[in-house]
Amino acid sequence: MISALSRKRRAPPALRHRWGSQATLLSFRATLTSSSKASAEEAPKADALASPSHPTLRTAADAIVIGAVASRAGSTANAPANWKLTQAVSLPTAATEAVMSRLQASRFEAKFGQIRLLYDLDLKDLPSIVSVVGLGKLSERSPTSLQAERARLAASAGIKSIASLSPTSSFKIGVEPFFGNAKATAEGASLSNYSFDRFKKDRSKKGLVEAQLFAPGADASLIDQWMEGVEIAASQNLARTLMETPANHMTPTVFSKVAVGKLQGLPNVTVKVHEKDWAESQKMGAFLSVARGSDEPLKFVEIVYKGGKPDERPIALVGKGVTFDTGGISIKPSNGMAAMKGDMGGAAVVLSAILAIARLRLPHNVVVAIPLTENMPSGHATKPGDVVIARNGLSIEVDNTDAEGRLILADALHYVADVHSPACTVELSTLTGAMDVALGTGYAGVFSTSDALWKQLEKAGEASGDPSEAGSGVYKKAIRSEVADLKNVGGRGAGSCTAAAFLAEFVKPGVQGEGKTAVDAEKEDDADTEGEKVKFAHIDIAGVMQHAAAGGYIGKGMTGRPVRSIIEFVRSYDPSK
């Protein structure tokens, strides 16, 4: 679900020449008929689109995907089609008539998701394969969020219908910007074209599928939308790759190198990778307590992007980076443990988001903090019942070592609050299985200290097609400890809620006074006005971490969600709210 983009600012020039194989910008190079005087050297460049005034448009694509909208009931063999091609105004008359004739003969009704593949229309205006995707009963007046989501799904369905014809063949596929929303269309095309095959021998036999914008006569703003959609989808696909990569190939060290490699050279971006001795100097006892069980050295990645005004307080993004989670001494069951390579999903999301934010040059300051470690059992590992001291001075009873994510995040959250004084902090983590039980794979769960912040996140989720649901935060008493200020679990019930309540204890700067925690000051916190509260949101992405089966434009496996939502949140962020 997304609103149509009405962005006026052109994408940075660097973006116009840097697309990878997932999806490329260009509609088609136009080849004019002899009626045109243009020479080969004068043919349109890669960022120029053909004009509908050209008498003939010959595309360099192997196939195109276009849409059809239903108007009333379906068509029959003896009745005119009760649907129309959404691209018909841009196709030459002969091409339109040929496509319409084939579709009517096949009893096409343009129902949502209905597909017809047309071959060898024997027209110089069209490639040899045309995929027509039904968009259902929608129009330009339908809600933009519905249009955008159907644009993503239609692009995905059309690309898959062509690619499945011959998995070993390569295709250049032109895709119509459905409902004029090139951004959403590009997202669907790029996300559906993703696969993780790094370790497969036969990956070289797989054909390369390139999705291109098919929009004869389009203006520069439509090109910008397409390019932005490709950039955003590429960032989400990066998050998917980071999460899919086996843990022995994605250690804290490797992840930090990926972060440096992706971000180096981008304007207004600085990246620092901190080591164990730095964490010790910062008195990050909670973070260190998790890392001590592993032979892999911890890392702490700190990224600063200065895209806003010099005096603007930054947006803070914090991501959980447990590159493999065994549960530690409180070890997990072996069934399903392999999926814990994705327990650094929060880290993958915030890294991928800041990459797109920097490339798109969004006009806000952003700071990113990523604590990276494994959670392993060993003779050095923290034991249930141990008490550790967090960076803010609070003591924590480790009741369960499998609740390790909140420990490393506690120190990262306090570091960000203390050092960067953010306007708001958004933290993302695959934190609790309870979130999967509560919301399933449809929504991430958001727990926020600020209604205003939640509303901005909610709006961004709706606009990006990656929505979330608000959770409750009235569970502070459940994390009281008999031997320390806090404990890292709150009992059997409401696990996601108690985890959020725990994290909220670490978003205030400074060292907490002895015997004076936010838990003990619950009444004072409740009395705070919206403007006085620390603006913090915890987003539990455990439920949306992966898909068990293929469907839509996100296939089976790690999803990379909610990268698109976070990018949109930063783009639309209003510090006055």
Side-chain angles (χ1 to χ4, degrees):
M1 299 183 295
I2 188 170
S3 58
L5 185 64
S6 59
R7 178 171 167 267
K8 296 181 180 179
R9 186 169 63 87
R10 300 293 298 276
L15 295 186
R16 301 181 178 278
H17 309 286
R18 201 198 61 262
W19 306 116
S21 62
Q22 292 291 334
T24 56
L25 164 64
L26 200 325
S27 68
F28 307 114
R29 289 184 181 274
T31 301
L32 306 183
T33 63
S34 57
S35 62
S36 170
K37 296 181 180 179
S39 66
E41 289 75 13
E42 295 169 331
K45 297 180 180 180
D47 56 354
L49 294 175
S51 167
S53 64
H54 291 156
T56 302
L57 175 65
R58 190 187 301 270
T59 76
D62 304 303
I64 59 172
V65 179
I66 59 177
V69 178
S71 56
R72 297 191 301 277
S75 62
T76 66
N78 300 316
N82 289 314
W83 45 264
K84 64 178 181 179
L85 294 177
T86 55
Q87 186 68 31
V89 294
S90 295
L91 292 176
T93 301
T96 300
E97 290 176 350
V99 171
M100 293 279 288
S101 176
R102 296 281 186 95
L103 291 175
Q104 285 182 264
S106 71
R107 306 296 197 273
F108 183 68
E109 298 178 77
K111 292 180 179 179
F112 178 60
Q114 189 178 34
I115 295 177
R116 292 290 187 271
L117 282 172
L118 311 178
Y119 308 99
D120 293 326
L121 295 176
D122 196 27
L123 291 167
K124 57 186 176 182
D125 305 303
L126 293 175
S128 58
I129 304 173
V130 177
S131 177
V132 184
V133 183
L135 300 174
K137 295 180 180 181
L138 286 176
S139 71
E140 296 296 336
R141 294 183 296 276
S142 298
T144 53
S145 59
L146 181 58
Q147 289 181 19
E149 189 63 8
R150 289 204 174 181
R152 293 186 191 95
L153 291 167
S156 171
I159 292 245
K160 289 177 180 178
S161 70
I162 296 167
S164 64
L165 294 174
S166 178
T168 59
S169 297
S170 293
F171 292 96
K172 289 183 178 180
I173 304 174
V175 187
E176 169 196 343
F178 300 108
F179 304 108
N181 195 330
K183 176 173 175 282
T185 303
E187 289 172 352
S190 300
L191 292 169
S192 67
N193 197 26
Y194 172 85
S195 64
F196 182 77
D197 54 9
R198 173 181 168 186
F199 298 101
K200 292 186 177 181
K201 274 188 177 181
D202 60 352
R203 64 175 178 163
S204 61
K205 298 178 182 179
K206 185 178 178 182
L208 175 66
V209 176
E210 291 187 45
Q212 305 174 329
L213 175 64
F214 176 48
D219 58 20
S221 66
L222 199 68
I223 301 174
D224 281 354
Q225 286 187 38
W226 176 270
M227 292 169 65
E228 185 167 0
V230 171
E231 182 66 61
I232 291 170
S235 293
Q236 184 169 348
N237 285 338
L238 170 62
R240 296 165 81 179
T241 296
L242 292 170
M243 297 170 71
E244 288 284 7
T245 303
N248 61 322
H249 294 274
M250 189 52 62
T251 63
T253 299
V254 172
F255 188 103
S256 63
K257 289 181 178 179
V258 170
V260 172
K262 292 290 183 181
L263 292 165
Q264 65 182 359
L266 291 178
N268 305 316
V269 177
T270 58
V271 185
K272 295 179 181 178
V273 179
H274 303 295
E275 311 287 344
K276 180 182 177 181
D277 57 352
W278 176 88
E280 290 173 338
S281 70
Q282 291 291 324
K283 299 182 179 179
M284 294 183 168
F287 180 25
L288 289 160
S289 74
V290 177
R292 63 188 296 181
S294 175
D295 289 339
E296 290 289 343
L298 67 81
K299 303 290 179 182
F300 189 102
V301 178
E302 183 179 5
I303 304 164
V304 176
Y305 167 68
K306 295 183 178 180
K309 298 177 181 178
D311 59 346
E312 176 187 301
R313 293 171 64 194
I315 299 166
L317 302 176
V318 181
K320 172 186 170 184
V322 177
T323 57
F324 193 78
D325 182 18
T326 66
I329 297 298
S330 307
I331 197 164
K332 296 175 181 289
S334 60
N335 186 32
M337 190 190 287
M340 289 300 97
K341 66 183 180 181
D343 205 28
M344 32 62 73
V349 166
V350 298
L351 173 60
S352 300
I354 194 62
L355 180 61
I357 289 164
R359 283 178 170 172
L360 295 172
R361 301 182 185 178
L362 299 187
H364 291 290
N365 296 327
V366 184
V367 60
V368 173
I370 305 174
L372 293 159
T373 183
E374 293 181 335
N375 185 26
M376 301 290 287
S378 74
H380 300 288
T382 296
K383 305 171 290 297
D386 285 358
V387 173
V388 299
I389 308 299
R391 188 181 186 277
N392 69 346
L394 294 181
S395 58
I396 304 168
E397 179 189 0
V398 182
D399 198 43
N400 186 329
T401 64
D402 195 22
E404 84 299 331
R406 64 201 72 180
L407 293 175
I408 71 171
L409 290 168
D411 283 338
L413 287 167
H414 187 256
Y415 174 78
V416 166
D418 223 18
V419 174
H420 293 285
S421 187
C424 68
T425 300
V426 178
E427 171 271 317
L428 296 99
S429 51
T430 50
L431 207 64
T432 65
M435 184 51 62
D436 188 15
V437 174
L439 297 178
T441 61
Y443 300 88
V446 180
F447 301 81
S448 181
T449 62
S450 165
D451 289 340
L453 178 58
W454 154 243
K455 288 176 182 177
Q456 293 201 54
L457 287 166
E458 181 184 33
K459 184 178 179 181
E462 292 174 353
S464 65
D466 199 353
S468 54
E469 284 287 343
S472 174
V474 292
Y475 292 88
K476 293 180 179 179
K477 292 181 180 178
I479 56 174
R480 294 182 186 272
S481 168
E482 296 296 326
V483 299
D485 296 318
L486 307 169
K487 61 180 177 180
N488 72 329
V489 292
R492 182 178 179 184
S496 299
C497 303
T498 56
F502 177 89
L503 291 173
E505 301 301 312
F506 300 91
V507 296
K508 293 183 178 180
V511 176
Q512 299 295 312
E514 184 177 353
K516 182 68 172 182
T517 71
V519 171
D520 296 321
E522 186 171 347
K523 292 183 179 180
E524 295 177 20
D525 285 350
D526 292 340
D528 284 347
T529 66
E530 179 68 25
E532 294 171 337
K533 290 181 179 179
V534 175
K535 292 184 177 180
F536 166 67
H538 156 61
I539 305 181
D540 194 329
I541 60 174
V544 302
M545 179 180 82
Q546 64 180 145
H547 284 175
Y553 49 86
I554 301 290
K556 181 179 180 181
M558 300 297 176
T559 67
R561 293 176 59 189
V563 167
R564 302 197 315 273
S565 177
I566 296 302
I567 296 168
E568 179 60 30
F569 166 71
V570 173
R571 176 208 309 285
S572 59
Y573 179 69
D574 184 350
S576 68
K577 294 182 178 179

